[in-house]
Amino acid sequence: MQASSAVFFIFGATGDLARRKLFPAIYSLYREGKLSDHFAVIGLARSQRTREQFREDVLSSIEEFCRYKPCDGKHEEWAEFVRHFEYKTLDINHIDGFRELNAFTEEVENEFSTPGNRLFYLALAPELFGRVSSHLTEGGLLESAGWHRLVIEKPFGYDLGSAKQLNEQIREVFREEEIYRIDHYLGKEMVQNIEVIRFGNAFFEPLWNNKHISNIQITLGETVGVEERGGYYDQAGALRDMGQNHMLQMLTMIAMEPPSRLVPEDIRDEKVKVLRSLRAFASSEDVSANVVRGQYTEGDVKGIHLPGYRQEDKVDPDSNTETYFAARVFVDNFRWAGVPFYIRTGKRLPVKTTEVVVEFKSMPNNVYLGQKYKLEPNLLVIRVNPMEGIYIKINAKKPGTDSEIEPLAMDFCQSCMIGINSPEAYERLIHDAAEGDSTYFTRWDEVATAWSFVDRIAAVWQEQPESLAYYPAGSWGPSAAHNLLEQDGHHWWPVN
Ligand code: BG6
């Protein structure tokens, strides 16, 4: 479906996010005919650039990061595309610049016949969101005839208090339904597929509860360290960087009840109910017993020596920030009572992977099979990244043997199919925002509830710096994370 005709304002247009994700996403949408012919992009940043220089930047970003290449015999198409890109130097502290921007936007709107719809994408540090929002309104940018939408990136605050403050600033200008808070994991193909797998298959939905599921494991593993983001990361840590948002969002998709209607508010209502049902850790002992935090030290990976976290650029050499956490959490509702959700994420792990493993309860050891065979539990594995697909592990007799069972994987690898070229998360999300579909954006009550859950953990960690465990770069995290499951008679299933 073609997105509505609009002007897209990219604040932070010379930054990393715009270069790696936003321009390539806009180009892919264009190539796939999902953008209206009547669109324009206005790049905004502090630095001086001419329109031509900006268009060159856009071209090189797309050449480097887009799944479509602009110059494979498509020069004319490229020229037509890039004609829609404008650039304005803007100091967001000065209201005059916003007034000029408004006048300029009206010219652009005339040229491309857009009906006054304006989408403001803030690829900026969150502390600037409030100022930009108020200058947008004071500068007259929200007075055009069409709709106005604000798209913002994480981190949405540092804790519940700061998130509330941020939210209040934005809400002075925009209504909740005009705010699109990005969690790019919700734009991933297989994360969106979770709903369909669950609610569209008679194989799964009847079993999707504590009567049949033994435990659920969610792994968000990364091989990279903190790269050039040490300054930000050292303040945030894994719990805030990945836990409060991506991890809990994935958990809600796995655990939510079917919505009564497939409309954004009903879906988000169900998600927020899961977050409210998360069992809050009652005491510091509770946190210590259920949550493990770790930091990577130096290590060798495939013959390459990697520095420890404390040696990374812009990281405090005595830093106590976690680059890994694992937790056992419970969703205290009728469906999930008693089923542990084991979640873990970390930097410098052996594999880049996002994967959900649903482990089913073992079959009763009945006389016929139990005595003869060693039965493994059935697994449903949802692979989100970098492989996309699902597989199911079942028990079957090993051919030619009498008493041996072989776990058999029935594998559907979506990304292996020839011609499958899944859209990037940002393509989906930009398109949805322009369409006014907020299903895969986080609503304020989700953000707030996730922060209250995470804040309790962070508060205990702050009082107990000695709770930090260490793991060498390239390993699967501190051993305590394995003990967490062993105590329950489980283990982390190896990821692929
Ligand atoms: C970001 C985090 O939100 O997600 C990064 O800030 C992390 O630290 C990234 O590397 C992971 O995203 P993906 O899509 O590569 O799994």
Side-chain angles (χ1 to χ4, degrees):
M1 195 202 300
Q2 268 202 345
S4 321
S5 163
V7 175
F8 299 82
F9 297 79
I10 312 275
F11 286 78
T14 52
D16 213 41
L17 183 75
R19 201 169 72 83
R20 283 174 183 269
K21 302 288 183 191
L22 307 184
F23 301 144
I26 293 172
Y27 185 62
S28 295
L29 291 172
Y30 179 78
R31 281 285 288 264
E32 297 194 339
K34 290 182 182 159
L35 274 189
S36 157
D37 296 336
H38 303 282
F39 82 98
V41 176
I42 304 180
L44 300 156
R46 225 176 354 197
S47 46
Q48 297 284 344
R49 304 208 59 68
T50 64
R51 177 170 78 180
E52 280 60 43
Q53 283 171 328
F54 178 57
R55 290 178 176 180
E56 281 299 311
D57 296 344
V58 172
L59 175 61
S60 76
S61 107
I62 292 172
E63 278 175 336
E64 191 173 352
F65 297 108
C66 190
R67 61 199 178 94
Y68 292 108
K69 297 295 163 220
C71 289
D72 30 330
K74 300 207 179 280
H75 290 286
E76 278 170 26
E77 188 195 53
W78 172 256
E80 173 51 32
F81 171 74
V82 84
R83 191 173 77 76
H84 295 253
F85 281 70
E86 296 288 347
Y87 181 80
K88 273 270 165 214
T89 304
L90 180 75
D91 178 349
I92 57 160
N93 298 309
H94 292 116
I95 182 71
D96 289 346
F98 284 79
R99 293 201 182 101
E100 283 165 30
L101 176 62
N102 192 31
F104 177 68
T105 305
E106 284 167 7
E107 288 169 28
V108 171
E109 285 174 333
N110 283 336
E111 185 181 345
F112 292 100
S113 312
T114 64
N117 294 336
R118 297 178 177 181
L119 185 147
F120 303 98
Y121 198 121
L122 308 195
L124 298 172
E127 50 276 21
L128 305 176
F129 293 172
R131 201 172 318 155
V132 172
S133 302
S134 67
H135 283 173
L136 283 174
T137 187
E138 287 164 35
L141 279 135
L142 305 184
E143 284 162 23
S144 60
W147 49 250
H148 305 104
R149 294 182 188 142
L150 182 75
V151 182
I152 47 182
E153 279 287 333
K154 64 173 270 278
F156 199 79
Y158 174 80
D159 54 15
L160 181 57
S162 56
K164 267 188 183 155
Q165 234 175 14
L166 197 58
N167 201 47
E168 279 160 17
Q169 292 170 354
I170 299 169
R171 286 296 309 276
E172 278 176 20
V173 178
F174 291 95
R175 285 175 287 126
E176 174 65 28
E177 55 276 25
E178 293 175 321
I179 303 171
Y180 291 72
R181 297 179 194 83
I182 290 230
D183 182 316
H184 78 278
Y185 269 59
L186 292 178
K188 289 183 191 271
E189 191 66 32
M190 284 306 292
V191 174
Q192 299 193 352
N193 210 346
I194 292 173
E195 274 179 301
V196 180
I197 293 169
R198 286 190 51 194
F199 303 133
N201 289 296
F203 285 136
F204 301 126
E205 185 44 32
L207 305 181
W208 210 260
N209 55 50
N210 57 4
K211 292 188 191 62
H212 300 285
I213 290 177
S214 142
N215 69 90
I216 294 186
Q217 307 183 5
I218 309 178
T219 300
L220 271 52
E222 296 191 272
T223 49
V224 292
V226 288
E227 299 178 294
E228 59 295 328
R229 296 162 71 228
Y232 149 76
Y233 195 88
D234 209 29
Q235 298 301 312
L239 180 67
R240 294 185 174 92
D241 184 49
M242 299 288 276
Q244 185 271 346
N245 35 71
H246 310 323
M247 181 64 90
L248 289 183
Q249 284 294 326
M250 298 228 351
L251 192 149
T252 60
M253 300 289 281
I254 295 288
M256 69 189 245
E257 294 300 316
S260 45
R261 291 170 306 164
L262 266 188
V263 296
E265 292 321 318
D266 288 17
I267 296 172
R268 301 199 295 183
D269 284 348
E270 293 306 333
K271 286 170 62 198
V272 86
K273 281 188 209 160
V274 174
L275 293 168
R276 287 202 202 110
S277 309
L278 283 177
R279 187 184 301 168
F281 295 113
S283 61
S284 49
E285 290 75 30
D286 212 8
V287 170
S288 312
N290 289 289
V291 195
V292 172
R293 63 192 297 249
Q295 186 187 78
Y296 63 83
T297 54
E298 55 193 304
D300 291 300
V301 177
K302 293 184 187 147
I304 299 169
H305 187 72
L306 297 170
Y309 175 68
R310 291 179 181 178
Q311 285 102 52
E312 300 276 14
D313 194 25
K314 302 204 193 89
V315 168
D316 177 354
D318 297 320
S319 174
N320 200 43
T321 299
E322 80 288 351
T323 58
Y324 175 100
F325 84 90
R328 170 176 39 218
V329 301
F330 289 92
V331 179
D332 279 341
N333 63 15
F334 207 75
R335 187 187 284 265
W336 294 114
V339 177
F341 286 70
Y342 302 111
I343 57 180
R344 62 176 168 173
T345 181
K347 302 258 182 217
R348 288 279 188 240
L349 300 189
V351 188
K352 164 78 184 162
T353 185
T354 303
E355 200 172 274
V356 180
V357 179
V358 179
E359 179 179 329
F360 290 87
K361 289 191 171 166
S362 298
M363 294 296 287
N365 244 359
N366 67 40
V367 178
Y368 171 58
L369 285 174
Q371 291 182 354
K372 197 165 177 192
Y373 301 115
K374 185 179 171 306
L375 296 172
E376 290 281 333
N378 292 140
L379 304 180
L380 164 67
V381 180
I382 304 175
R383 293 169 175 174
V384 174
N385 187 11
M387 299 292 280
E388 287 180 356
I390 58 170
Y391 73 86
I392 303 169
K393 264 204 174 155
I394 59 169
N395 289 306
K397 191 165 82 65
K398 192 170 177 184
T401 65
D402 192 29
S403 59
E404 274 183 66
I405 286 256
E406 218 176 24
L408 199 79
M410 294 168 70
D411 198 345
F412 164 62
C413 174
Q414 175 159 302
S415 50
C416 304
M417 281 164 63
I418 295 168
I420 285 275
N421 185 5
S422 298
E424 268 268 332
Y426 279 90
E427 293 172 32
R428 191 67 176 255
L429 296 173
I430 291 174
H431 180 265
D432 286 0
E435 268 300 286
D437 181 348
S438 51
T439 308
Y440 295 112
F441 294 84
T442 46
R443 207 168 58 186
W444 165 244
D445 50 355
E446 291 179 70
V447 175
T449 318
W451 273 126
S452 5
F453 181 74
V454 158
D455 279 357
R456 285 172 187 254
I457 304 174
V460 172
W461 285 353
Q462 197 170 0
E463 282 163 20
Q464 299 178 345
E466 72 287 355
S467 62
L468 188 69
Y470 299 93
Y471 62 99
S475 71
W476 272 112
S479 55
H482 302 274
N483 303 342
L484 207 58
L485 277 73
E486 253 172 42
Q487 294 158 3
D488 301 340
H490 300 138
H491 60 82
W492 292 105
W493 289 96
V495 298
N496 291 276

